[in-house]
Amino acid sequence: MGRMLIRCLPFLFAALLAACTTAPVAQYQNPIIHADYSDPDAIRVGDMYYLVSSSFNNAPGLPLLQSPDMVNWTLVGHALPQLVPLEVFAKPQHGKGVWAPCLRYHDGKFWIFYPDPDFGIYVMTATSFAGPWSAPHLLAAGKGLIDPTPLWDDDGQAYLLHAWARSRAGFANVLTLRRMAPDGSRLLDDAGKIIINGDKLSRYTTLEGPKFYKRDGYYYVFAPAGGVETGWQSVFRSRSIDGPYEDRIVMAQGGSPVNGPHQGAWVQTPQGEDWFIHFQDKRAYGRVVHLQPMTWRDGWPLIGEDIGAAAGQPVARYRLPVTGQAAAAPPSSDEFNGSTLGLQWQWNANWQPSWYALGDGRLRLFAQPRTGNLWDVPSLLLQKLPAETFTVETRLDAAGLAEGGVAGLVMYGSDYAWLGTRRLDGRTQLALVSCYKADAACHEQQEAGVALPSSQVWLRMRVIAGGVTNFSYSVDGKTYTPIGAQFTAKMGRWVGAQMGLFSAGPTGHADIDYFHVTP
């Protein structure tokens, strides 16, 4: 027995060595983008993945992201420089504008179909994903038409499926199929046909956000239902494009901490693996982006972790779809050293070139007039919250402010708070200001304030879990002094809270040296 054990030791040692030296499987962690890229749609062209999302009233709109692996995403531009009609969106139109878009690649070009619930469904095209994109073409005019998704069938016929917004149309929870010219120039019928009616299905409410696909002779409609914060992902299938359709819930929260996992895109790798990109609503942080594995069983997809039911549940971690790619994420910091603003910045409405200037390594924000709080000010320079916890620092020089002017760093939503400077009686003062229920015309209240020894001040904002925000300031760029009480960030209308910069007043300007964001 002893000799046998001795003879076996080299083999045992080799097996143990192999087990210990096997490389761990590279994994990603959800959410893959902890920022408000709402209602994402994604496709693959070649070896690259592309993603677009809602942008509502912010301009530029329709952010464009690309990734080599569906995990590490780079923001490469915006498809919509200004919202149309231009005059309507010259003022903030909170919760309006660009709702859930659909991205496709067909006939050698990229297509975006996007809805404006007050005007209709627009279509844009580009030969290069980063642009330039064609001007929006109004494909279908009307109120309440939302969430369009096209399908070019094998026989050359083209179709458009869309949902409805109850707030404009007076009804919802149904999906309507329209015939469309293959070049996307017009619809070929007058009203279309309801092919999926959520009112006739048990438990279905708020059926919307469809995405149209075809596989193995079946027409598939991936569509969420149940509401933004508490819903689930369903799939409908039929052998005929106009139905009847069977339905199945293919992903729900289950035992995971991910509420309302739904609305997104089925994407396939070149090797034939299936994945699903969707959002989770996190209130102040907006609708953050998740990636789920997807498998097929008996002609039905199962999304997420298999828990022994028809519906999967979201995974927290999983193996990377593609390995060996560099880490990437949408930008947040800006040194203001270039000739253009960083791609992360969006304005609160259609923007004017006269609002700002770049030069000498700084951003100059020209004060714009306002008559009330910041809710209806178009010239706010904003971006998405980039993580659950982070710190923002900026240096502001208020020497150029006119009497009565204000400028500063803002955490913006239907409640907001800003830390910045006031010019009063020829002196520069620091002020922490809050406004609760900004969308209901609240009046700003100064929570704290101090006199400043000069026009230059360093401002800091620290955000922790739940959007809890603490402000502090420095007069030398080294020692920071806390100011005021904690403020809890609050979402806007259909969007998460946003952070950024502003300058308001009769005339004058404020200069900002940088905007640094650290995780």
Side-chain angles (χ1 to χ4, degrees):
M1 177 67 72
R3 293 192 191 95
M4 184 179 297
L5 183 59
I6 291 171
R7 286 197 298 270
C8 289
L9 282 174
F11 300 101
L12 291 171
F13 178 76
L16 287 170
L17 182 63
C20 291
T21 57
T22 299
V25 176
Q27 293 187 322
Y28 68 89
Q29 180 173 316
N30 273 318
I32 53 171
I33 308 176
H34 199 291
D36 189 20
Y37 288 94
S38 175
D39 311 316
D41 194 24
I43 60 172
R44 176 183 59 82
V45 180
D47 291 325
M48 189 64 70
Y49 301 90
Y50 301 94
L51 184 148
V52 297
S53 78
S54 303
S55 51
F56 297 95
N57 62 287
N58 288 127
L62 284 171
L64 306 169
L65 297 94
Q66 67 182 44
S67 169
D69 59 6
M70 286 186 278
V71 172
N72 296 286
W73 291 92
T74 301
L75 181 62
V76 298
H78 293 81
L80 192 62
Q82 302 271 21
L83 281 67
V84 294
L86 294 175
E87 65 280 4
V88 171
F89 291 98
K91 298 188 297 183
Q93 302 289 341
H94 295 281
K96 302 180 181 181
V98 179
W99 285 24
C102 183
L103 175 65
R104 292 293 180 261
Y105 187 80
H106 172 74
D107 196 25
K109 55 189 174 183
F110 294 92
W111 303 66
I112 294 176
F113 292 74
Y114 80 86
D116 181 314
D118 296 301
F119 294 98
I121 293 169
Y122 294 90
V123 60
M124 308 170 67
T125 61
T127 54
S128 170
F129 180 69
W133 285 77
S134 65
H137 166 65
L138 186 57
L139 173 64
K143 284 188 173 292
L145 285 70
I146 60 169
D147 305 348
T149 176
L151 187 139
W152 288 271
D153 212 342
D154 303 329
D155 60 2
Q157 300 296 308
Y159 301 87
L160 188 76
L161 184 68
H162 67 84
W164 296 87
R166 190 181 305 277
S167 57
R168 275 75 166 182
F171 64 95
N173 207 35
V174 299
L175 303 180
T176 296
L177 181 69
R178 307 290 302 271
R179 292 182 60 243
M180 181 179 72
D183 63 358
S185 61
R186 66 194 190 281
L187 297 181
L188 302 179
D189 53 28
D190 294 329
K193 175 185 177 182
I194 293 175
I195 60 169
I196 301 175
N197 188 337
D199 292 337
K200 295 182 178 180
L201 300 173
S202 176
R203 298 177 50 224
Y204 272 76
T205 59
T206 323
L207 177 63
E208 58 188 5
K211 295 294 181 288
F212 221 164
Y213 306 101
K214 192 175 184 182
R215 177 185 186 269
D216 294 341
Y218 276 106
Y219 295 92
Y220 288 92
V221 177
F222 285 53
V228 169
E229 295 184 44
T230 58
W232 61 86
Q233 182 66 37
S234 285
V235 167
F236 302 81
R237 74 174 189 181
S238 175
R239 289 290 187 184
S240 172
I241 194 166
D242 57 0
Y245 280 82
E246 309 169 83
D247 73 285
R248 178 175 292 188
I249 296 175
V250 297
M251 180 176 61
Q253 179 173 354
S256 81
V258 181
N259 60 291
H262 67 261
Q263 190 158 343
W266 164 29
V267 184
Q268 192 173 69
T269 68
Q271 294 74 34
E273 286 190 344
D274 297 297
W275 298 82
F276 188 74
I277 294 172
H278 67 96
F279 75 73
Q280 172 199 9
D281 188 285
K282 290 191 69 174
R283 303 294 291 175
Y285 297 99
R287 301 175 189 180
V288 303
V289 185
H290 289 243
L291 175 66
Q292 304 297 335
M294 185 174 120
T295 56
W296 289 88
R297 294 181 181 175
D298 302 322
W300 290 99
L302 183 145
I303 298 175
E305 178 187 0
D306 185 355
I307 54 174
Q313 68 180 22
V315 299
R317 301 178 66 90
Y318 203 75
R319 64 172 174 82
L320 284 166
V322 180
T323 58
Q325 302 299 321
S332 50
S333 295
D334 200 340
E335 299 294 337
F336 302 123
N337 287 332
S339 59
T340 59
L341 290 166
L343 293 174
Q344 68 269 32
W345 295 108
Q346 295 174 289
W347 301 92
N348 205 26
N350 281 343
W351 54 280
Q352 299 293 331
S354 59
W355 289 351
Y356 76 101
L358 290 163
D360 300 323
R362 64 186 180 184
L363 166 68
R364 175 163 290 182
L365 286 178
F366 295 100
Q368 303 299 315
R370 64 167 179 164
T371 56
N373 64 43
L374 295 180
W375 186 249
D376 291 319
V377 173
S379 56
L380 306 184
L381 184 60
L382 304 168
Q383 61 169 288
K384 307 173 192 304
L385 306 189
E388 189 164 57
T389 62
F390 60 93
T391 299
V392 177
E393 291 182 355
T394 188
R395 184 169 63 193
L396 184 148
D397 191 333
L401 283 183
E403 182 70 16
V406 295
L409 175 66
V410 63
M411 177 63 80
Y412 184 69
S414 56
D415 296 341
Y416 69 79
W418 61 264
L419 177 65
T421 56
R422 290 187 189 276
R423 192 72 175 168
L424 289 175
D425 300 325
R427 297 179 180 179
T428 303
Q429 299 179 354
L430 182 76
L432 176 64
V433 173
S434 65
C435 197
Y436 292 88
K437 296 185 179 179
D439 53 346
C442 67
H443 295 287
E444 291 187 343
Q445 302 292 325
Q446 181 163 317
E447 304 287 347
V450 296
L452 291 173
S454 75
S455 63
Q456 184 169 262
V457 65
W458 286 257
L459 308 173
R460 176 184 284 173
M461 179 170 67
R462 283 185 170 164
V463 179
I464 59 176
V468 175
T469 305
N470 294 280
F471 292 96
S472 58
Y473 72 98
S474 173
V475 295
D476 60 8
K478 299 176 183 178
T479 303
Y480 278 83
T481 302
I483 184 170
Q486 288 182 336
F487 171 79
T488 300
K490 188 174 181 181
M491 63 186 294
R493 193 166 297 162
W494 304 122
V495 299
Q498 297 170 294
M499 61 183 185
L501 301 161
F502 75 99
S503 178
T507 58
H509 63 265
D511 291 326
I512 297 97
D513 285 345
Y514 54 78
F515 192 91
H516 289 169
V517 182
T518 54

Short mmCIF file of all heavy atoms in Angstrom, two decimals, residues 10 18 36 64-65 81 92-93 103 120 122 142 189 202 224 234 242 270 282 299 306-307 438 459 479 482:
data_model
loop_
_atom_site.label_atom_id
_atom_site.label_comp_id
_atom_site.label_asym_id
_atom_site.label_seq_id
_atom_site.Cartn_x
_atom_site.Cartn_y
_atom_site.Cartn_z
N PRO A 10 3.32 11.54 -7.59
CA PRO A 10 3.58 12.47 -8.70
C PRO A 10 2.32 12.83 -9.47
O PRO A 10 2.16 13.99 -9.90
CB PRO A 10 4.57 11.69 -9.58
CG PRO A 10 5.23 10.73 -8.64
CD PRO A 10 4.15 10.33 -7.68
N ALA A 18 -2.16 21.51 -11.52
CA ALA A 18 -3.02 21.95 -12.62
C ALA A 18 -4.24 22.70 -12.10
O ALA A 18 -4.64 23.72 -12.64
CB ALA A 18 -3.45 20.76 -13.46
N ASP A 36 -27.45 56.69 -16.16
CA ASP A 36 -28.82 56.74 -16.67
C ASP A 36 -28.88 56.68 -18.20
O ASP A 36 -29.30 57.64 -18.85
CB ASP A 36 -29.48 58.02 -16.15
CG ASP A 36 -30.99 58.05 -16.44
OD1 ASP A 36 -31.57 56.98 -16.67
OD2 ASP A 36 -31.56 59.15 -16.41
N LEU A 64 -24.66 57.88 -28.24
CA LEU A 64 -24.15 56.77 -29.04
C LEU A 64 -22.96 56.14 -28.31
O LEU A 64 -21.96 56.82 -28.05
CB LEU A 64 -23.69 57.28 -30.40
CG LEU A 64 -24.70 58.08 -31.23
CD1 LEU A 64 -24.01 58.74 -32.42
CD2 LEU A 64 -25.84 57.19 -31.70
N LEU A 65 -23.08 54.86 -27.97
CA LEU A 65 -22.00 54.15 -27.28
C LEU A 65 -21.60 52.92 -28.08
O LEU A 65 -22.44 52.30 -28.74
CB LEU A 65 -22.43 53.74 -25.87
CG LEU A 65 -22.76 54.87 -24.90
CD1 LEU A 65 -24.26 55.16 -24.90
CD2 LEU A 65 -22.30 54.54 -23.49
N PRO A 81 -28.12 66.54 -32.58
CA PRO A 81 -27.50 67.74 -32.00
C PRO A 81 -28.50 68.65 -31.29
O PRO A 81 -28.21 69.19 -30.23
CB PRO A 81 -26.88 68.44 -33.22
CG PRO A 81 -26.72 67.37 -34.24
CD PRO A 81 -27.86 66.41 -34.02
N PRO A 92 -36.84 74.01 -21.50
CA PRO A 92 -36.88 72.64 -20.97
C PRO A 92 -38.28 72.05 -21.06
O PRO A 92 -39.26 72.68 -20.67
CB PRO A 92 -36.45 72.82 -19.51
CG PRO A 92 -35.62 74.07 -19.51
CD PRO A 92 -36.27 74.96 -20.52
N GLN A 93 -38.34 70.84 -21.59
CA GLN A 93 -39.60 70.10 -21.71
C GLN A 93 -39.43 68.79 -20.94
O GLN A 93 -39.26 67.72 -21.51
CB GLN A 93 -39.93 69.83 -23.18
CG GLN A 93 -40.05 71.07 -24.04
CD GLN A 93 -41.30 71.86 -23.73
OE1 GLN A 93 -42.26 71.35 -23.15
NE2 GLN A 93 -41.32 73.12 -24.10
N LEU A 103 -32.38 50.84 -32.40
CA LEU A 103 -31.20 50.90 -33.26
C LEU A 103 -31.15 49.65 -34.13
O LEU A 103 -31.30 48.54 -33.63
CB LEU A 103 -29.94 50.97 -32.39
CG LEU A 103 -28.59 50.91 -33.10
CD1 LEU A 103 -28.38 52.14 -33.98
CD2 LEU A 103 -27.46 50.80 -32.07
N GLY A 120 -44.72 62.23 -32.68
CA GLY A 120 -44.75 61.03 -33.49
C GLY A 120 -43.43 60.29 -33.49
O GLY A 120 -42.58 60.46 -32.60
N TYR A 122 -39.89 59.34 -35.36
CA TYR A 122 -38.89 59.85 -36.28
C TYR A 122 -37.91 58.74 -36.67
O TYR A 122 -37.71 57.79 -35.91
CB TYR A 122 -38.09 60.99 -35.65
CG TYR A 122 -38.89 62.24 -35.35
CD1 TYR A 122 -39.54 62.41 -34.14
CD2 TYR A 122 -38.96 63.28 -36.29
CE1 TYR A 122 -40.25 63.57 -33.86
CE2 TYR A 122 -39.67 64.44 -36.02
CZ TYR A 122 -40.31 64.58 -34.80
OH TYR A 122 -41.02 65.72 -34.53
N GLY A 142 -48.35 61.90 -34.87
CA GLY A 142 -49.47 61.60 -33.99
C GLY A 142 -49.06 61.62 -32.54
O GLY A 142 -47.89 61.46 -32.20
N ASP A 189 -50.06 52.02 -44.46
CA ASP A 189 -51.46 51.81 -44.08
C ASP A 189 -51.93 53.00 -43.26
O ASP A 189 -51.14 53.87 -42.90
CB ASP A 189 -51.64 50.49 -43.34
CG ASP A 189 -50.71 50.36 -42.15
OD1 ASP A 189 -50.32 51.39 -41.58
OD2 ASP A 189 -50.35 49.22 -41.79
N SER A 202 -53.52 37.90 -18.56
CA SER A 202 -53.55 37.95 -17.10
C SER A 202 -52.34 38.70 -16.55
O SER A 202 -51.20 38.44 -16.95
CB SER A 202 -53.56 36.52 -16.54
OG SER A 202 -53.50 36.52 -15.13
N PRO A 224 -41.32 44.54 -22.40
CA PRO A 224 -41.51 44.58 -20.95
C PRO A 224 -42.96 44.88 -20.60
O PRO A 224 -43.72 45.39 -21.42
CB PRO A 224 -40.61 45.74 -20.53
CG PRO A 224 -40.68 46.68 -21.70
CD PRO A 224 -40.77 45.80 -22.92
N SER A 234 -41.05 40.05 -20.95
CA SER A 234 -41.81 39.00 -21.63
C SER A 234 -41.32 38.86 -23.06
O SER A 234 -40.67 39.75 -23.62
CB SER A 234 -43.31 39.35 -21.66
OG SER A 234 -43.90 39.15 -20.40
N ASP A 242 -48.63 38.91 -38.05
CA ASP A 242 -49.76 39.60 -37.43
C ASP A 242 -50.50 38.72 -36.42
O ASP A 242 -51.62 39.03 -36.02
CB ASP A 242 -50.72 40.15 -38.47
CG ASP A 242 -51.26 39.09 -39.41
OD1 ASP A 242 -50.88 37.90 -39.26
OD2 ASP A 242 -52.04 39.45 -40.31
N PRO A 270 -20.54 36.86 -32.60
CA PRO A 270 -20.21 36.16 -33.85
C PRO A 270 -20.18 34.65 -33.70
O PRO A 270 -20.37 33.91 -34.66
CB PRO A 270 -18.82 36.71 -34.21
CG PRO A 270 -18.76 38.04 -33.54
CD PRO A 270 -19.54 37.87 -32.26
N LYS A 282 -33.12 52.89 -10.73
CA LYS A 282 -32.54 53.15 -9.40
C LYS A 282 -32.81 54.58 -8.95
O LYS A 282 -31.95 55.23 -8.34
CB LYS A 282 -31.04 52.85 -9.41
CG LYS A 282 -30.71 51.37 -9.53
CD LYS A 282 -29.24 51.08 -9.27
CE LYS A 282 -28.86 51.32 -7.82
NZ LYS A 282 -27.46 50.90 -7.54
N GLY A 299 -37.61 26.75 -28.36
CA GLY A 299 -38.04 27.91 -29.11
C GLY A 299 -38.36 29.14 -28.28
O GLY A 299 -38.88 30.12 -28.80
N ASP A 306 -30.67 30.59 -14.55
CA ASP A 306 -31.68 29.56 -14.60
C ASP A 306 -32.01 29.12 -13.17
O ASP A 306 -31.16 28.57 -12.46
CB ASP A 306 -31.16 28.38 -15.42
CG ASP A 306 -32.21 27.29 -15.63
OD1 ASP A 306 -33.31 27.39 -15.05
OD2 ASP A 306 -31.91 26.32 -16.37
N ILE A 307 -33.24 29.37 -12.74
CA ILE A 307 -33.66 28.99 -11.39
C ILE A 307 -34.72 27.90 -11.44
O ILE A 307 -35.51 27.73 -10.51
CB ILE A 307 -34.17 30.22 -10.61
CG1 ILE A 307 -35.28 30.94 -11.38
CG2 ILE A 307 -33.03 31.17 -10.30
CD1 ILE A 307 -35.93 32.08 -10.60
N ALA A 438 -39.06 71.50 -7.19
CA ALA A 438 -38.75 72.50 -8.21
C ALA A 438 -39.76 72.46 -9.34
O ALA A 438 -40.08 73.50 -9.93
CB ALA A 438 -37.34 72.26 -8.76
N LEU A 459 -15.05 74.00 -4.97
CA LEU A 459 -16.31 73.42 -4.55
C LEU A 459 -16.23 71.90 -4.63
O LEU A 459 -15.66 71.34 -5.58
CB LEU A 459 -17.45 73.90 -5.46
CG LEU A 459 -17.58 75.42 -5.64
CD1 LEU A 459 -18.63 75.73 -6.69
CD2 LEU A 459 -17.90 76.08 -4.31
N THR A 479 -7.62 72.62 2.00
CA THR A 479 -8.45 72.32 3.17
C THR A 479 -9.91 72.62 2.85
O THR A 479 -10.25 73.75 2.49
CB THR A 479 -8.01 73.15 4.38
OG1 THR A 479 -6.62 72.90 4.65
CG2 THR A 479 -8.85 72.78 5.60
N PRO A 482 -16.87 71.55 5.47
CA PRO A 482 -18.25 71.18 5.18
C PRO A 482 -19.19 72.37 5.36
O PRO A 482 -18.95 73.25 6.18
CB PRO A 482 -18.55 70.08 6.22
CG PRO A 482 -17.21 69.60 6.66
CD PRO A 482 -16.30 70.79 6.58
#
